[in-house]
Amino acid sequence: MMSSSALKTVQLDGQVILKIMQHCNEALPQLVTGQLLGLDVGGTLEVTDCFAFPASVADEENDDENAGASYQLDMMRCLREVNVDNNTVGWYQSTNLGTFQTMDLIETFVNYHENIKKCVCIVYDPQRSSRGSFALKAIRLKDQFISLFKEQKLTAKDLRDANIAWKDVFQEIPIKIQNSALVQALTAELEPVTAATQGDLDRLNLSVAPFLEKNIESLLDCVDDLVLEQQKVTTYHKNVARQAQQMTTWLQKRKQENQARRAAGEELLPEEDPTQFKPIPELSLLDNYLISNQLSTYCDQLNIACTQSLQKLYIFESLQK
Amino acid sequence: MKGRSLLLPTLGTNLSVKIHPVALFSICDGYIRRNEKQDRVIGTLLGVVSEGTVEIKNCYIVPHNESSEQVAVDIAHHRTMFELHQRVAPAETVVGWFATGPALYNSDALIQEFYTKEAPNSVHLLVDTTLSGGKFSIHAFMSRILSVGEKVLSTEFVEMPCEVLFGDAERVGVELLASGGASTKPLTDNESLVTSLKRLEELLDKVQSYVDDVIEGRAKGDPVIGRYLADTLSVVPHFSKPDFERLFNESTQDMMMVTYLSNLLRTQIALADKLGTSQLPIV
């Protein structure tokens, strides 16, 4: 399933990047989504256009579900009239501090995967962009994980059998940026290479404390969640052990009763009573995995921010001399 | 058609036009995708009008047919797309229309009339995608009705000042697009920091060589530049040595601590995973 049809790069049109950035930035602090259109060429997924989803589609359901679907159909029909690629290849969404690993994402992905084998989700972090870095990522779920998820086999034993660690859930795909010749002429005209740009100013900013604070707060929340999950697992183990013990005591009692009855010559009671002890379903490890992923994203971000500010601090020190 | 007459009064309002690069990119893309027989594409401009400025934020192509005698614009398409866009961004309204090409066409007056019904003071944007004259030129026009008494004679297009406006986060995007060739990979954080620092270094070198030249009499000193440099340098905070060392050490320690914590957490998760003890609580 992986071999020749594996997705190696995602090629974005400059236009798509600007549209995504504009839409997500203007909708702050709300998180928004939109659809990606393009073509699937061999090992590369070319995204040539995109459009935004109205915010109400994401929040409410019921009658707005039909409205959302009709919005999509109308938009695709209009775009087809102007020769835009009419092929959905995925969706984009904005996130808060890079946390996109939620159940919603996985479910949406599986939904898309039914129809489109090579769909991708582009995640954009507006807060990181304001610090001068390019915060677009292309994510997809690994095929193995998708098949396991569809079968709902996510217990510890199944995951170990399939050899899927928490790292194997999401896969980041490298992004390439592509511009037509006309657009290159446009950018050359618009932005002559200046000595320094606003992006430089953002990047060389020494104040990293607020960003770190927010990140660490979210990290703490995440660790709390992880601890909760682990408590759930411990409780489950305790419950299973307790149930096993109850079963043994009950069985012993039954055996004693049966012995007494044998002595008295009465009918023997059955030694098994499946209806009394229902087996406790084993917990799925999916939440655990998602939280681990989130934790690792936070840690990565913290690391990058800290190393950069260390570098900036050292440079500042040399300037002071 | 296009012209500035000295006799007629200029536009009453001092309007200027600001364009977001997103709109320009969409126009280019639409032009490339046009049907074979068409020479140019036209479409609607969406944006906001605030005192004195028309800000163009978004646009979409509207199919149209034109020949030397008549022009037909697909109004239903325009209305549908506008409604769809309204649901995403209710603040944006129709502010005008655009066309690609080197010059204004005869039929533009009719199209302008239609759009003026949609939005008062609608702006016409002419984007030269054919790169005539070796430049990618962008002009914005507003129409003015020339009339004698009650009778309307014709419409005149008056040019307005227009510039391209960059939003904050868009700068990162456009800088990236401008620095690359036909296709680029986005730079990682470290690489972009290195690039920024190199640029800063170049700037400092330039300034230093300029100052040296002025001191040695090789170049004439410009008092305005001199004052500007002095102001900039005075803004750099200068601490006394012990103060600075204390600040520096504290910041470095904070950074190291955070890095250590995050690495610790990562190691914990990795270990728990390997040992299969992710069921055990973090002590």
Side-chain angles (χ1 to χ4, degrees):
Chain A
M1 209 183 5
M2 295 274 275
S3 55
S4 60
S5 65
L7 199 55
K8 292 203 202 66
T9 40
V10 171
Q11 186 175 283
L12 292 179
D13 241 21
Q15 192 204 171
V16 170
I17 297 181
L18 285 183
K19 272 195 187 168
I20 296 180
M21 285 190 179
Q22 189 193 41
H23 180 220
C24 295
N25 285 329
E26 287 192 356
L28 278 181
Q30 217 184 15
L31 302 177
V32 287
T33 60
Q35 185 96 296
L36 296 172
L37 306 166
L39 291 167
D40 166 8
V41 182
T44 316
L45 190 67
E46 290 185 25
V47 181
T48 48
D49 211 336
C50 66
F51 60 85
F53 282 145
S56 59
V57 174
D59 295 330
E60 299 157 33
E61 295 169 41
N62 307 326
D63 11 297
D64 268 346
E65 238 179 62
N66 288 330
S70 71
Y71 173 88
Q72 238 182 324
L73 287 173
D74 284 335
M75 188 59 110
M76 304 269 276
R77 188 172 41 89
C78 289
L79 287 177
R80 193 175 13 163
E81 289 175 21
V82 287
N83 295 334
V84 175
D85 295 324
N86 209 14
N87 204 9
T88 312
V89 292
W91 80 103
Y92 68 84
Q93 62 184 65
S94 59
T95 66
N96 216 348
L97 279 185
T99 57
F100 53 86
Q101 298 95 337
T102 54
M103 255 326 241
D104 284 336
L105 185 88
I106 298 191
E107 282 171 7
T108 325
F109 216 100
V110 174
N111 277 333
Y112 269 86
H113 196 77
E114 307 273 322
N115 305 324
I116 320 160
K117 286 302 160 204
K118 281 204 214 165
C119 67
V120 77
C121 171
I122 295 200
V123 171
Y124 173 68
D125 189 357
Q127 279 131 345
R128 267 188 70 198
S129 277
S130 62
R131 303 189 62 241
S133 61
F134 183 76
L136 271 186
K137 270 201 274 207
I139 308 278
R140 70 192 297 264
L141 293 182
K142 287 206 176 156
D143 291 328
Q144 257 189 322
F145 179 74
I146 296 182
S147 41
L148 270 190
F149 183 78
K150 281 196 188 150
E151 297 166 31
Q152 280 295 310
K153 288 205 294 174
L154 297 162
T155 59
K157 183 170 168 308
D158 295 322
L159 287 166
R160 225 175 299 139
D161 285 341
N163 212 7
I164 294 189
W166 59 268
K167 277 188 296 246
D168 292 327
V169 176
F170 298 100
Q171 183 190 23
E172 191 179 328
I173 306 180
I175 295 183
K176 217 166 56 138
I177 301 180
Q178 193 269 126
N179 278 324
S180 62
L182 190 60
V183 168
Q184 281 176 59
L186 175 64
T187 32
E189 179 79 24
L190 281 184
E191 178 113 358
V193 180
T194 50
T197 63
Q198 179 68 27
D200 287 332
L201 205 62
D202 288 331
R203 274 193 287 265
L204 291 174
N205 198 352
L206 272 182
S207 131
V208 76
F211 175 73
L212 283 186
E213 277 173 23
K214 268 198 232 127
N215 224 332
I216 296 187
E217 267 177 38
S218 321
L219 189 67
L220 286 177
D221 285 335
C222 215
V223 172
D224 281 336
D225 284 338
L226 191 62
V227 172
L228 273 175
E229 285 294 316
Q230 287 175 345
Q231 279 176 354
K232 273 195 223 157
V233 179
T234 344
T235 345
Y236 163 76
H237 279 310
K238 273 199 230 144
N239 281 342
V240 166
R242 198 182 40 178
Q243 190 186 50
Q245 190 165 35
Q246 280 177 339
M247 271 179 76
T248 27
T249 28
W250 179 86
L251 200 57
Q252 269 183 337
K253 268 201 265 176
R254 266 295 161 89
K255 284 210 175 113
Q256 283 177 339
E257 266 189 49
N258 275 339
Q259 271 183 342
R261 288 206 176 192
R262 225 176 275 136
E266 286 173 16
E267 221 178 273
L268 298 174
L269 291 170
E271 294 200 343
E272 295 242 347
D273 193 355
T275 55
Q276 198 173 12
F277 291 105
K278 283 184 233 110
I280 310 178
E282 205 183 324
L283 296 171
S284 104
L285 270 190
L286 183 61
D287 287 325
N288 217 326
Y289 274 25
L290 288 177
I291 296 182
S292 313
N293 267 316
Q294 269 187 352
L295 265 183
S296 108
T297 322
Y298 282 134
C299 292
D300 286 335
Q301 282 180 340
L302 279 177
N303 262 340
I304 294 178
C306 286
T307 23
Q308 282 192 332
S309 33
L310 267 179
Q311 290 164 346
K312 287 187 252 181
L313 277 173
Y314 273 106
I315 293 177
F316 190 58
E317 185 198 9
S318 64
L319 276 180
Q320 281 284 318
K321 294 200 186 117
Chain B
M1 268 192 298
K2 170 181 136 160
R4 252 167 293 201
S5 171
L6 292 169
L7 300 171
L8 295 168
T10 48
L11 276 179
T13 49
N14 276 338
L15 281 179
S16 69
V17 176
K18 293 202 164 50
I19 315 173
H20 281 243
V22 186
L24 289 173
F25 274 63
S26 302
I27 298 177
C28 286
D29 189 60
Y31 179 72
I32 295 176
R33 289 173 187 281
R34 68 190 187 289
N35 287 324
E36 272 179 30
K37 311 237 184 52
Q38 281 183 315
D39 267 340
R40 60 179 199 153
V41 283
I42 70 169
T44 316
L45 293 170
L46 299 171
V48 285
V49 181
S50 50
E51 349 76 35
T53 347
V54 176
E55 210 177 304
I56 299 176
K57 286 195 177 161
N58 207 350
C59 69
Y60 54 84
I61 313 276
V62 175
H64 80 297
N65 272 322
E66 64 185 355
S67 56
S68 47
E69 293 105 27
Q70 55 166 335
V71 64
V73 175
D74 190 347
I75 299 184
H77 186 272
H78 156 76
R79 290 264 157 74
T80 328
M81 285 289 266
F82 180 54
E83 271 166 30
L84 292 175
H85 276 271
Q86 275 285 57
R87 288 175 58 183
V88 179
E92 291 180 10
T93 56
V94 177
V95 293
W97 65 291
F98 69 84
T100 62
L104 295 167
Y105 278 47
N106 277 332
S107 39
D108 283 358
L110 290 165
I111 310 181
Q112 178 75 10
E113 217 183 289
F114 164 67
Y115 273 97
T116 322
K117 279 195 225 114
E118 297 271 322
N121 285 333
S122 70
V123 173
H124 170 46
L125 192 70
L126 183 66
V127 179
D128 187 5
T129 45
T130 57
L131 301 174
S132 61
K135 238 172 71 88
F136 201 113
S137 56
I138 305 169
H139 297 283
F141 300 96
M142 264 206 146
S143 69
R144 195 172 64 217
I145 310 232
L146 303 171
S147 58
V148 173
E150 294 273 332
K151 206 162 92 142
V152 175
L153 284 179
S154 64
T155 1
E156 182 196 354
F157 282 104
V158 179
E159 186 160 356
M160 299 161 51
C162 80
E163 56 172 315
V164 182
L165 176 74
F166 291 95
D168 288 327
E170 281 172 339
R171 284 175 203 273
V172 178
V174 181
E175 181 193 327
L176 180 65
L177 296 171
S179 59
S183 79
T184 48
K185 262 183 333 116
L187 299 173
T188 59
D189 285 321
N190 284 334
E191 284 172 16
S192 43
L193 185 61
V194 167
T195 333
S196 300
L197 287 171
K198 277 208 194 110
R199 272 202 277 255
L200 184 63
E201 201 184 0
E202 278 171 31
L203 278 179
L204 287 174
D205 282 339
K206 237 196 267 181
V207 169
Q208 190 166 30
S209 60
Y210 171 75
V211 171
D212 284 338
D213 282 344
V214 171
I215 291 181
E216 307 211 351
R218 276 197 294 261
K220 195 165 66 95
D222 187 358
V224 174
I225 297 186
R227 227 171 289 139
Y228 184 69
L229 283 176
D231 283 339
T232 322
L233 282 175
S234 66
V235 171
V236 174
H238 201 84
F239 304 96
S240 63
K241 200 149 192 302
D243 273 343
F244 178 73
E245 278 195 16
R246 188 174 47 88
L247 274 174
F248 180 72
N249 286 333
E250 278 176 13
S251 312
T252 336
Q253 273 180 342
D254 285 339
M255 297 299 138
M256 301 281 209
M257 178 184 72
V258 177
T259 324
Y260 173 73
L261 274 177
S262 68
N263 282 333
L264 185 66
L265 271 174
R266 279 240 290 271
T267 326
Q268 156 82 35
I269 301 181
L271 266 180
D273 195 46
K274 284 274 183 279
L275 296 175
T277 52
S278 46
Q279 288 82 9
L280 298 180
I282 297 178
V283 172

